[in-house]
Amino acid sequence: MLDLYAALDGAAPDRIGSVLSEAMAPDTLWRGFHPFGELVGPDAVAEQFWAPLRHSLTRLQRRQDIFFAGHNELDGFAGTWVVSMGHLMGLFDRAWLGIPPTGKMAFLRYCEFNKVENGRIVEAAMYFDIPHLMMQAGLDPFPPQTAAHLVQPGPLTHDGLLFRDAPEAEGPATLAAINAMIGDLGTWQSGLPLEEELAQTWHDDMIWWGPAGIGATYTIKRYAKQHSGPFRAAFSDRSKTRHLARVAEGHYGGFFGWPNFTARHTGGFMGMPGSDKPGEMRVIDIYRREGDKLAENWIFIDLLHFWKTQGVDILKRTVEIADV
């Protein structure tokens, strides 16, 4: 994977398809946030995602904060997935998806899961925070956030790049902490006060690095107030969790779904009105474990897709306003 990333960084836009063809199987299923959706094969990924992005964000470089690999718990630890998280940074010189350029540095938050078989990628999830890029271009796609959104840093411990194998016992311990948290939070029915429920699996000084439109929040108390409490109050009929991959190595782990779950928005989330239509939450979560509890969490939510399922095309509406 590291060779692929280096080759992508150095390739001219018209060579990206060749680079991806060497690393991806011809029928690789690639999942990307709205407006990309599911693409099949390296040529489609190059032509529809990478080449336009590289044309817009010139001198693009991948700035990784977390890199690890592991076997997928959800298929009996048969599949191997490689995870990379950080920012794609470049000079925002040309419009992308209708978002106007700034001529300045811009950061696109990303996280990707790549399933590898026989040295080639056969399945991928590439999630990225387009609303954050919109904000950097001076656009306001959402109402005021309940928390703060910044150019988000990597782990407090600066040890998230696992280029060598981590001690074997640490990955299962991280998975155990993640699964305990899913067991507590996934039902929303523990019967405990929210802060007490969170304290079972999170350190008190936890940081939840949420997406643009929601923001990041620090400590259990502020997380409960600035995201978890308002989020739960705004939804009903939450489906069961449907992850496609859940992996860990060392003190780091994560999962993704397509979607992770569905829920009915009764009103109030992100300051928006309710709807009678169930909405899909496509999410990647990355965690850092410290001891037997979780300390940091980086979250990627396809909010553009979610709101489109609710009848609001945030991307289209925002870029149309920018053109006025």
Side-chain angles (χ1 to χ4, degrees), residues 176-254:
I178 292 172
N179 287 331
M181 179 274 303
I182 293 171
D184 286 350
L185 300 187
T187 63
W188 295 359
Q189 296 175 351
S190 72
L192 294 173
L194 178 55
E195 291 183 27
E196 290 183 24
E197 177 187 302
L198 292 167
Q200 294 183 113
T201 51
W202 294 91
H203 286 284
D204 183 64
D205 61 350
M206 64 171 287
I207 303 180
W208 191 84
W209 298 106
I214 301 172
T217 185
Y218 172 46
T219 72
I220 284 177
K221 183 176 182 178
R222 296 298 171 88
Y223 171 64
K225 178 181 179 181
Q226 296 173 350
H227 175 64
S228 188
F231 186 78
R232 293 191 191 193
F235 287 92
S236 65
D237 302 326
R238 186 192 194 280
S239 73
K240 292 183 178 180
T241 300
R242 300 194 294 263
H243 296 156
L244 296 180
R246 192 182 303 158
V247 300
E249 182 183 14
H251 290 85
Y252 294 88

Side-chain angles (χ1 to χ4, degrees), residues 90-314:
L91 297 169
F92 198 0
D93 286 340
R94 301 179 186 91
W96 186 57
L97 305 176
I99 305 168
T102 64
K104 301 176 183 179
M105 294 170 66
F107 292 77
L108 181 64
R109 287 182 71 227
Y110 82 90
C111 186
E112 64 176 321
F113 277 59
N114 291 290
K115 185 178 182 181
V116 178
E117 291 180 357
N118 300 317
R120 303 186 85 183
I121 298 168
V122 297
E123 192 175 344
M126 177 71 174
Y127 291 4
F128 30 83
D129 197 339
I130 293 173
H132 182 223
L133 186 68
M134 297 165 79
M135 291 178 178
Q136 294 171 65
L139 304 180
D140 249 342
F142 299 123
Q145 304 174 117
T146 51
H149 194 86
L150 315 165
V151 175
Q152 296 184 355
L156 173 67
T157 47
H158 299 281
D159 61 356
L161 299 174
L162 305 185
F163 296 146
R164 297 183 178 179
D165 290 343
E168 191 171 336
E170 299 294 348
T174 300
L175 273 180
I178 292 172
N179 287 331
M181 179 274 303
I182 293 171
D184 286 350
L185 300 187
T187 63
W188 295 359
Q189 296 175 351
S190 72
L192 294 173
L194 178 55
E195 291 183 27
E196 290 183 24
E197 177 187 302
L198 292 167
Q200 294 183 113
T201 51
W202 294 91
H203 286 284
D204 183 64
D205 61 350
M206 64 171 287
I207 303 180
W208 191 84
W209 298 106
I214 301 172
T217 185
Y218 172 46
T219 72
I220 284 177
K221 183 176 182 178
R222 296 298 171 88
Y223 171 64
K225 178 181 179 181
Q226 296 173 350
H227 175 64
S228 188
F231 186 78
R232 293 191 191 193
F235 287 92
S236 65
D237 302 326
R238 186 192 194 280
S239 73
K240 292 183 178 180
T241 300
R242 300 194 294 263
H243 296 156
L244 296 180
R246 192 182 303 158
V247 300
E249 182 183 14
H251 290 85
Y252 294 88
F255 53 71
F256 82 90
W258 189 263
N260 292 47
F261 65 91
T262 61
R264 195 178 309 277
H265 179 222
T266 57
F269 178 52
M270 298 176 63
M272 304 283 263
S275 167
D276 60 356
K277 301 176 183 177
E280 293 183 342
M281 289 286 182
R282 299 171 173 173
V283 184
I284 279 179
D285 273 68
I286 301 296
Y287 298 89
R288 179 176 70 86
R289 174 182 59 84
E290 191 171 292
D292 60 355
K293 292 186 178 183
L294 301 172
E296 293 187 85
N297 182 197
W298 294 262
I299 304 90
F300 298 76
I301 305 175
D302 194 351
L303 293 172
L304 298 180
H305 172 72
F306 172 79
W307 288 118
K308 200 165 188 300
T309 68
Q310 304 299 287
V312 184
D313 193 330
I314 298 289

Side-chain angles (χ1 to χ4, degrees), residues 12-156:
D14 61 356
R15 290 285 302 158
I16 291 174
S18 297
V19 169
L20 291 180
S21 292
E22 293 179 6
M24 299 172 70
D27 59 350
T28 295
L29 174 61
W30 183 95
R31 303 173 179 89
F33 274 6
H34 178 79
F36 297 96
E38 294 183 343
L39 303 176
V40 178
D43 289 342
V45 176
E47 292 168 9
Q48 297 185 47
F49 176 70
W50 279 110
L53 180 65
R54 286 280 303 275
H55 181 73
S56 298
L57 289 181
T58 62
R59 305 292 295 270
L60 189 72
Q61 60 177 235
R62 181 184 298 253
R63 302 179 64 86
Q64 291 189 106
D65 294 308
I66 292 176
F67 180 88
F68 64 92
H71 298 298
N72 184 8
E73 179 185 35
L74 302 181
D75 65 4
F77 299 99
T80 300
W81 291 78
V82 180
V83 180
S84 171
M85 190 206 83
H87 293 85
L88 301 175
M89 187 202 78
L91 297 169
F92 198 0
D93 286 340
R94 301 179 186 91
W96 186 57
L97 305 176
I99 305 168
T102 64
K104 301 176 183 179
M105 294 170 66
F107 292 77
L108 181 64
R109 287 182 71 227
Y110 82 90
C111 186
E112 64 176 321
F113 277 59
N114 291 290
K115 185 178 182 181
V116 178
E117 291 180 357
N118 300 317
R120 303 186 85 183
I121 298 168
V122 297
E123 192 175 344
M126 177 71 174
Y127 291 4
F128 30 83
D129 197 339
I130 293 173
H132 182 223
L133 186 68
M134 297 165 79
M135 291 178 178
Q136 294 171 65
L139 304 180
D140 249 342
F142 299 123
Q145 304 174 117
T146 51
H149 194 86
L150 315 165
V151 175
Q152 296 184 355
L156 173 67

